[in-house]
């Protein structure tokens, strides 16, 4: 990728964002003291040598009580040797509508670009980023920058401070467990085969499910997993599995799965051999009938720890079978993060309906006219039309959708 390729990538990103009415600043964020109404962080940025790809996450938290209209984030290598290691959005990983390359790229989430990925009021989303490492590398440390923005109603886009994050390649042969726990948005019931079936918005007195995905992206297997969970206030465990010990208030639990072995993701090549590098678990929870609605109950956490590590070879503890509340997930689609993640429980008013009814993902309705975009459309089309036509033959724009998807030419 030469300097021309870099210029095209950044110019394409800026041109497309201008046309969408939400240009991304290329310099420092707004003046100190400005309150953007959200925060962001990046987790899991230490990568073991020998692991060619690791999935990390941008955690975007909405500090307001309103559903945003759209959100953007912009990733640049800055102080990173991108010939040695580079970051890209994962196709099929759920980051929104993305464009660019290793020299700098952006993603947009909005009404027409996976709005279910927007963080509800008080909620958090984990947006995946893939770290690609070239072969035959030595320990290394560099830094990359992330800039993010969010908009509510017809208000202009607010941007947070452009932040540098470290990325380390380390010669460490141990396991590397990660966990991601999305916010709880829906009521559920247990269907045939123990599968969860969504039944609508989660209301006071209703039952939902805390879900979390654990993956081993390291070089050594683990022979079991310990999970420590804490629920927000006004939320309690409904029917914990036998592997869990509850606190007296039924809001905390320690679950020990001592036969749930997870091999390294790079060894998980045969989906029929009974070995797994990743697993998704769930716990049924009940919202108190007295809980205020609508509202967000924040403060939930899940933390994981491996047990009885095994060597790099496949031989290890024989797994007696997945727990009843677990579903194995393929390594090619698993998330990556660090060993701790937070989640919130979104409570809807009684009798309300929303986009989450009867389907996956869900979220609160998006409100507010897009008057700023409408007012700027004509001028933006005239100013940017030539650039977009030029770039359309050279760039690709991908709407990344969870569970699959391919680039659009």
């Amino acid at each position: 990728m030469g300097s021309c390729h870099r210029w095209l990538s950044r110019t394409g990103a800026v041109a497309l964002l201008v046309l969408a009415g939400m240009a991304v600043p290329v310099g420092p964020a707004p003046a100190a003291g400005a309150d953007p109404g959200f925060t962001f962080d990046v987790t899991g940025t230490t990568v073991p040598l020998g692991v060619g790809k690791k999935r990390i996450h941008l955690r975007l938290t909405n500090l307001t009580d309103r559903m945003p209209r759209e959100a953007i984030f912009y990733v640049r290598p800055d102080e990173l040797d991108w010939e040695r290691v580079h970051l890209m959005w994962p196709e099929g990983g759920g980051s929104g509508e993305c464009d660019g390359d290793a020299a700098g790229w952006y993603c947009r989430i909005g009404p027409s670009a996976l709005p279910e990925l927007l963080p509800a009021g008080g909620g958090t989303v984990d947006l995946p980023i893939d770290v690609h490492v070239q072969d035959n590398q030595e320990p290394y440390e560099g830094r990359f920058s992330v800039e993010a923005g969010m908009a509510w109603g017809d208000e202009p886009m607010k941007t947070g401070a452009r932040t540098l994050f470290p990325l380390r390649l380390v010669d460490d042969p141990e396991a590397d467990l990660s966990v991601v726990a999305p916010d709880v948005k829906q009521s559920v019931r247990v269907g045939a085969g123990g599968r969860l079936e969504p039944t609508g918005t989660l209301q006071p007195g209703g039952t939902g499910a805390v879900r979390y995905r654990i993956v081993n992206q390291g070089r050594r297997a683990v022979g079991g997993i310990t999970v420590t969970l804490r629920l927000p206030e006004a939320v309690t465990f409904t029917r914990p599995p036998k592997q869990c010990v509850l606190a007296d208030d039924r809001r905390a639990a320690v679950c020990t799965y001592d036969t749930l072995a997870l091999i390294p993701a790079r060894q998980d090549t045969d989906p029929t051999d009974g070995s797994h590098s990743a697993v998704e678990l769930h716990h049924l929870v009940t919202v108190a009938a007295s809980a205020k609605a609508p509202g967000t109950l924040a403060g939930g956490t899940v933390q994981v720890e491996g047990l009885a590590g095994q060597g790099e070879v496949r031989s290890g503890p024989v797994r007696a079978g997945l727990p009843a509340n677990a579903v194995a997930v393929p390594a090619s689609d698993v998330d990556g993060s660090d060993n701790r993640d937070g989640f919130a429980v979104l409570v809807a008013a009684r009798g309300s309906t929303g986009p989450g009814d009867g389907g996956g993902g869900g979220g609160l309705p998006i409100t507010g006219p897009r008057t700023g975009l409408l007012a700027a459309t004509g001028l933006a089309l005239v100013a940017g039309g030539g650039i977009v036509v030029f770039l359309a033959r050279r760039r690709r724009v991908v709407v990344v959708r969870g569970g699959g998807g391919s680039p659009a030419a």
Side-chain angles (χ1 to χ4, degrees):
M1 299 180 187
S3 59
C4 181
H5 196 182
R6 294 192 193 186
W7 182 87
L8 284 173
S9 172
R10 297 183 183 185
T11 303
V14 172
L16 291 171
L17 286 171
V18 168
L19 290 176
M22 41 173 263
V24 173
V26 294
D35 181 9
F38 66 92
T39 62
F40 63 90
D41 193 15
V42 179
T43 63
T45 58
T46 298
V47 183
L49 289 177
V51 174
K53 183 176 76 172
K54 179 179 179 180
R55 182 159 293 181
I56 65 178
H57 283 86
L58 169 65
R59 288 181 178 162
L60 188 61
T61 300
N62 181 0
L63 300 180
T64 76
D65 59 1
R66 297 185 294 161
M67 188 72 181
R69 181 186 78 238
E70 56 191 355
I72 56 172
F73 63 96
Y74 189 15
V75 178
R76 285 174 285 196
D78 286 334
E79 301 171 15
L80 198 66
D81 182 356
W82 54 280
E83 296 290 349
R84 178 180 298 189
V85 55
H86 64 270
L87 299 90
M88 283 300 300
W89 75 87
E91 297 180 12
S95 290
E97 184 179 61
C98 302
D99 183 64
D101 55 26
W105 50 273
Y106 79 97
C107 293
R108 171 182 175 269
I109 305 165
S112 61
L114 303 187
E116 63 271 20
L117 297 179
L118 289 169
T124 298
V125 292
D126 295 274
L127 303 171
I129 298 173
D130 280 347
V131 179
H132 295 265
V133 182
Q134 302 302 319
D135 294 334
N136 304 318
Q137 292 296 328
E138 297 180 350
Y140 168 77
E141 180 171 349
R143 297 196 299 176
F144 64 96
S145 72
V146 176
E147 191 166 13
M150 196 176 293
W152 293 263
D154 58 357
E155 300 172 7
M157 180 73 64
K158 295 183 179 180
T159 56
R162 180 179 174 186
T163 306
L164 284 169
F165 295 95
L167 193 146
R168 303 180 181 91
L169 305 181
V170 297
D171 188 8
D172 190 339
E174 300 301 320
D176 183 12
L177 293 184
S178 309
V179 64
V180 171
D183 290 345
V184 181
K185 300 181 180 180
Q186 294 181 315
S187 61
V188 299
R189 64 186 175 199
V190 180
R195 297 282 180 172
L196 296 182
E197 300 175 353
T199 59
T201 55
L202 182 58
Q203 300 172 12
T207 297
V210 174
R211 308 169 193 252
Y212 52 97
R213 180 173 290 187
I214 308 171
V215 57
N216 182 3
Q217 298 190 98
R219 291 165 50 185
R220 189 184 301 272
V222 294
I225 302 290
T226 296
V227 182
T228 303
L229 299 112
R230 183 68 180 172
L231 301 180
E233 291 187 11
V235 183
T236 56
F237 287 100
T238 307
R239 191 174 59 205
K242 63 182 180 180
Q243 296 94 338
C244 300
V245 177
L246 290 188
D248 291 340
D249 62 1
R250 300 184 66 84
R251 288 182 49 220
V254 177
C255 306
T256 304
Y257 303 101
D258 53 8
T259 60
L260 181 54
L262 293 181
I263 63 174
R266 63 177 181 171
Q267 295 181 6
D268 194 358
T269 57
D270 185 352
T272 65
D273 65 0
S275 297
H276 305 285
S277 63
V279 66
E280 186 174 283
L281 297 99
H282 69 262
H283 299 279
L284 296 179
V285 296
T286 299
V287 177
S290 59
K292 181 181 178 181
T296 298
L297 305 174
T301 59
V302 56
Q303 184 164 340
V304 298
E305 182 180 4
L307 302 173
Q310 302 295 313
E312 280 198 84
V313 296
R314 278 185 171 273
S315 60
V318 177
R319 185 175 48 76
L322 290 174
N325 66 322
V327 178
V329 292
S332 59
D333 295 327
V334 299
D335 295 342
S337 183
D338 61 5
N339 283 30
R340 179 184 173 93
D341 195 13
F343 62 89
V345 177
L346 278 61
V347 184
R350 293 185 184 276
S352 66
T353 60
D357 288 3
L364 300 179
I366 298 175
T367 59
R370 303 180 64 189
T371 56
L373 174 60
L374 294 175
T377 298
L379 178 61
L381 287 174
V382 173
I387 296 177
V388 172
V389 170
F390 176 73
L391 292 174
R393 302 178 181 272
R394 296 167 171 78
R395 306 298 311 138
R396 62 177 182 175
V397 176
V398 179
V399 178
V400 181
R401 301 188 181 276
S406 57

